[in-house]
Amino acid sequence: MTTDNYFVWRGETEKQFQALTEVMQLKSLLQHQIEALGFDAFAFLVQHPVPFTRPRIFLFSTYPSGWVKRYESQNYYAVDPVLVRCQQPGRGVDWNAELFAEAGNLWAEANAAGLMSGFSCSAMASNRAIGILSISSPHPSQTRHKRIQLEVQLHFLAELSLRVLERLNDGSMVVLSKDFSQRELEILKWTAEGKTSAEISLILAISEHTVNFHQKNMQKRFNVSNKTQIACYAAAIGLI
């Protein structure tokens, strides 16, 4: 693909994604796009930044249903190296046996399910959710000479997909409520700086009781047990 062709493709593709009015249309459009790239199926995984140890995951896929069920039943999410590598948005990952060497039977079972070759790349949403787009083929070595092209195009497709899900208010993009008052945001920022409730009350010229009241409310909204977690979660989703 030449530079001129890429920018034509980019402009036309963006218009197609902007024209979507329902989330269910996204799956068909992504399938069309990946077939144009010479692949057969895709998985678009949305991973939330919090909770840190058990992030919520949403999957949009045209992979064989039997493989998806097997992947989930074996909890391959926990060992899949693609998910680790794609935490860095825009970095393409070419599938091969070496990549999956420490992932148990994942690579062998994926091959048996018809996923003989593939490529993945990710993008990040404004709420810090990661969207990982993976494409696969039943034929080997489909990515060997296309790495740069696939990295650029898949990153853009993942970015557009996240924008669609955000614009259409899909549940997969609801990380945590961002409906915080200016006062709450101020308290969050000073909490993240390590200030105590007493110190924050002096800085903001409000009572310590008021600081504690807001912190307790935010703990409930974040579903966390202490104010340190509030600050960590707020930072993770780009709130502060």
Side-chain angles (χ1 to χ4, degrees):
M1 176 180 286
T2 66
T3 301
D4 289 342
N5 287 342
Y6 168 72
F7 282 108
V8 170
W9 170 84
R10 183 182 174 97
E12 292 177 348
T13 301
E14 187 165 15
K15 289 179 182 177
Q16 292 173 359
F17 277 79
Q18 288 174 341
L20 298 182
T21 57
E22 298 179 12
V23 172
M24 62 182 296
Q25 297 170 330
L26 176 60
K27 190 172 179 178
S28 296
L29 181 53
L30 277 175
Q31 181 64 26
H32 171 75
Q33 288 290 334
I34 67 103
E35 288 177 2
L37 293 175
F39 291 80
D40 292 72
F42 78 88
F44 184 59
L45 182 146
V46 177
Q47 181 178 358
H48 289 191
V50 294
F52 299 123
T53 57
R54 54 187 191 287
R56 296 174 66 202
I57 289 174
F58 297 83
L59 184 66
F60 305 83
S61 172
T62 57
Y63 283 174
S65 59
W67 167 241
V68 174
K69 291 178 181 178
R70 178 65 179 174
Y71 185 99
E72 293 179 340
S73 69
Q74 295 300 303
N75 192 28
Y76 279 139
Y77 291 113
V79 298
D80 192 339
V82 169
L83 304 190
V84 176
R85 298 284 186 90
C86 283
Q87 293 303 306
Q88 181 179 336
R91 178 184 180 183
V93 179
D94 189 6
W95 301 2
N96 53 55
E98 183 180 356
L99 174 68
F100 292 92
E102 297 182 8
N105 295 324
L106 175 54
W107 182 237
E109 291 196 27
N111 288 174
L115 284 70
M116 296 296 295
S117 64
F119 198 87
S120 302
C121 198
S122 64
M124 181 180 287
S126 60
N127 61 6
R128 306 293 176 86
I130 294 287
I132 302 173
L133 179 58
S134 298
I135 56 179
S136 69
S137 170
H139 309 292
S141 305
Q142 290 295 294
T143 63
R144 185 175 300 167
H145 305 297
K146 301 180 181 179
R147 179 181 176 85
I148 295 177
Q149 174 188 341
L150 290 174
E151 186 173 73
V152 171
Q153 291 184 276
L154 260 64
H155 176 248
F156 187 57
L157 290 173
E159 189 176 73
L160 291 176
S161 298
L162 289 172
R163 289 184 202 169
V164 168
L165 294 173
E166 283 188 293
R167 174 168 57 82
L168 298 179
N169 298 313
D170 186 68
S172 64
M173 297 305 295
V174 180
V175 177
L176 288 170
S177 171
K178 288 191 174 184
D179 186 23
F180 288 85
S181 68
Q182 186 59 41
R183 177 64 77 198
E184 288 174 325
L185 290 175
E186 290 174 335
I187 292 172
L188 271 175
K189 290 175 182 177
W190 287 113
T191 301
E193 291 287 350
K195 300 299 183 181
T196 66
S197 297
E199 290 171 328
I200 295 173
S201 71
L202 291 174
I203 293 169
L204 299 181
I206 57 179
S207 71
E208 186 175 352
H209 172 77
T210 299
V211 174
N212 289 329
F213 172 78
H214 284 304
Q215 287 180 332
K216 288 293 184 183
N217 278 342
M218 287 187 284
Q219 281 180 222
K220 292 178 182 178
R221 290 161 70 182
F222 278 120
N223 192 29
V224 297
S225 59
N226 59 64
K227 63 183 182 181
T228 300
Q229 282 182 285
I230 299 174
C232 290
Y233 279 25
I237 66 174
L239 192 58
I240 57 175

